Amino acid sequence: MSYKLLPLRFERFNNDEIFITNEVGEFTFISKDKFEQLIKCTLNPQDETFLNLKAKQILTDTDINPVIEMLATKYRTKKSFLNKFTALHMVVPTLRCNSNCRYCQVSRKDVEAHQFDMDKSTAKKVVDTIFQSPSPMIKIEFQGGEPLLNFKIVKQIIEYSEWRNLFKKKDLEFVICTNLSLMTKDMLKYLKKHHVYISTSLDGPRDLHNKNRPLQATDNSYDILIEKISLCREYLGHDSVSALMTASRFSLERFKEIVDEYISQGFNGMFLRSLNPYGFAKRDRRMLGYTMEEFVENYIEALDYIIDINLKGTYFVESFASLLLTRMLTPFSTGFVDLQSPAGIAISGVIYDYNGNVYVSDEARMLAAMGDNKFLMGNVNKNSYLELFNSEFIRSLIRSACLECLPECSSCAYQSFCGADPVRNYSEQGDIVGHRPTSEICKRNKKIMHYLLDLVKQGNGKIEDVFWSWIIRRPIENNVCITSS
Amino acid sequence: MKEIVKKISDNQLLIEVNKKIYEFEAILQTSYKFTDKCYINIDSISEDIIGVYFKKKDEGDVSLEEVVDKFCNELIDQQVRVVVERSCGSIRDEIVKKAFSPIN
């Protein structure tokens, strides 16, 4: 034998080619014949395929120890999101909400139900808990309900966090997720002073947005939203506001219109998100839901449309594709709470409910709102940081949330790009490990990854430039090709 | 391939897999991938043969013959994965161990 195989995973990509990845996500495509030779260790060392596989560290014909060192370094880089234990801290200042979203996933409460507000003492303990995190970076994200309904607690958390950070000196960031309807100039002045980013929801053109996300006071939430986005930009700057969309059944077949709406409102990117099976979305799934095949079909059509828009000179990013492409084409770490291994629950992101309950993720909180406290970590008013984050419950949960040892995932060629989501598995399939052959998320991820890899494989330099502009988050400048092709 | 596929009834088929060619791990992993299509039972038939029994689920109109054809192809891939893993699984362990070792 003239060479040795290094750890690899493979999958039949099409009728003629095999897709091969190594442990750190470097990949290539080879013919079936060459694959057979590779496995039998009969590839000719002068062969271009051999040299390509050697360059990708899928095989080696030299001393193996330096190769292991190199792969270990790359592996450490890929998993470096683990150093930020725990970076994302979501806080629910209130469950009250003035929206009337059709697919509300968090079981909102009436605007007058003040018993669902976070109190001052709990807010202080939430911040104290957050600042025990060893992560050098802390992002505090206000969720709801509608956080602006309890703005005094939002302010208290921001100011107390800033005070705590005088001593901790972490990279501290605030985001407020709001429907914007209650945003005032005074609030904006405050948010500007404290460098708070705004995340809102825009589901598409007027009729679609109003159908998915009406306010309780009016069905025409769209006009209010657009006016308030403009106001936010005036006070905080154009890029201080981002928006998310959620696709309901009403959104299918309209993804291009949704993209156009984002562009016309001055956004330079969006995240095409499918509906999560929690709250009203789960209760009313027959009316609001759709199959994952339908979503993927719409997603791919929209992705092609977005690529075309970029090719015509408008910089516009689809964030899910951008995340996957970063994993496929760069050696860097890309933690993403819903899609990483080990799963991001508790160790990358965590949520503090209005009453101090701590859940491993926002989806875990949504499950709790439906009466299932399976993923409750404890309560800031009763438990210490170590009791919350270093419990046997969290340890066993994370042990069951590593793709490297999950059935089917362990040998999946897409593993380096994918992630485990035990809360979703539990919600959809009844157990945290899940059943891959019937997993909707597995279907979605594999199909989208396959599509992106196919585009990469085609080697179209212009499309590659678009992809790289998404990865580096900058427009293609002066039509200069970044890629060598 | 016909000889290893046996019809038990209208909604049940059996594949007889040679243990000298395919390892149990490959058979198990392959079977798992088809558990969405039908009910699968794995049992030893003789010293050299493992039986994989396929039974139609009530819902859907899955063709067992089609499932079995795909199963046979997938079994080859899974056996290759077992062989590759045996060949370089220890290297993977070494990479992960080094990656999480303290840096001097």
Side-chain angles (χ1 to χ4, degrees), chain A residues 86-186:
Chain A
T86 303
L88 174 62
H89 297 263
M90 293 166 280
V91 182
V92 180
T94 181
L95 276 181
R96 293 185 291 134
C97 190
N98 64 337
S99 276
N100 197 20
C101 302
R102 300 285 284 261
Y103 49 67
C104 178
Q105 293 152 0
V106 297
S107 305
R108 64 172 177 265
K109 302 298 177 193
D110 187 84
V111 286
E112 297 303 327
H114 290 271
Q115 67 271 33
F116 295 106
D117 284 357
M118 183 176 278
D119 61 41
K120 285 182 181 178
S121 164
T122 301
K124 182 173 181 298
K125 282 180 178 149
V126 165
V127 175
D128 287 338
T129 304
I130 290 172
F131 275 87
Q132 289 183 66
S133 166
S135 173
M137 191 230 156
I138 297 287
K139 181 195 275 190
I140 297 177
E141 186 175 291
F142 298 101
Q143 295 270 359
E146 170 51 52
L148 298 187
L149 280 167
N150 195 10
F151 197 61
K152 66 177 190 300
I153 284 294
V154 171
K155 286 162 63 174
Q156 184 198 325
I157 290 171
I158 289 172
E159 287 163 31
Y160 184 48
S161 297
E162 287 172 337
W163 186 82
R164 291 288 319 246
N165 204 39
L166 290 175
F167 306 95
K168 293 282 186 175
K169 299 190 185 310
K170 292 174 185 286
D171 181 4
L172 179 62
E173 190 178 301
F174 300 105
V175 179
I176 189 161
C177 302
T178 165
N179 63 29
L180 286 180
S181 60
L182 302 171
M183 188 64 83
T184 63
K185 290 176 181 175
D186 284 344

Side-chain angles (χ1 to χ4, degrees), chain A residues 4-7 9-10 12 23 39 64 68-69 71-72 75-76 407-408 411 434-438, chain B residues 29 32-36 76-78 80-81 84 87-88 91-92 94-96 98-101 103:
Chain A
K4 185 164 181 52
L5 291 178
L6 294 166
R9 297 186 180 87
F10 70 91
R12 289 174 193 275
E23 201 57 29
I39 298 303
I64 198 166
I68 290 176
E69 289 283 350
L71 282 168
Y75 194 87
R76 185 163 50 235
E408 206 170 316
S411 61
H435 180 241
R436 235 62 62 214
T438 51
Chain B
Q29 287 180 359
Y32 179 79
K33 287 190 96 164
F34 288 86
T35 48
D36 60 328
I76 294 170
D77 285 358
Q78 291 295 348
V80 172
R81 289 188 178 106
V84 169
S87 155
C88 51
I91 302 174
R92 171 179 292 119
E94 188 67 16
I95 291 167
V96 176
K98 274 191 186 300
F100 290 113
S101 298
I103 303 169

Side-chain angles (χ1 to χ4, degrees), chain A residues 25-56:
Chain A
E26 286 162 299
F27 64 90
T28 191
F29 303 87
I30 63 174
S31 70
K32 286 193 282 189
D33 289 347
K34 296 288 184 191
F35 181 70
E36 197 178 324
Q37 290 173 37
L38 167 71
I39 298 303
K40 286 179 176 169
C41 283
T42 58
L43 267 181
N44 183 344
Q46 310 301 322
D47 193 314
E48 196 181 328
T49 303
F50 179 93
L51 297 172
N52 183 30
L53 291 165
K54 185 179 173 182
K56 303 273 185 191

Side-chain angles (χ1 to χ4, degrees), chain A residues 222-254:
Chain A
Y222 174 88
D223 286 347
I224 296 169
L225 175 67
I226 299 304
E227 183 196 322
K228 293 295 171 99
I229 287 174
S230 174
L231 189 66
C232 291
R233 285 173 171 162
E234 185 186 321
Y235 276 77
L236 306 179
H238 189 275
D239 294 333
S240 60
V241 187
S242 62
L244 284 171
M245 67 80 76
T246 303
S248 72
R249 165 151 286 286
F250 313 123
S251 315
L252 294 187
E253 315 298 335
R254 300 191 63 183

Side-chain angles (χ1 to χ4, degrees), chain A residues 98 100 210 213-221 224:
Chain A
N98 64 337
N100 197 20
N210 285 343
R213 305 183 65 87
L215 290 168
Q216 289 168 25
T218 171
D219 283 346
N220 191 3
S221 56
I224 296 169

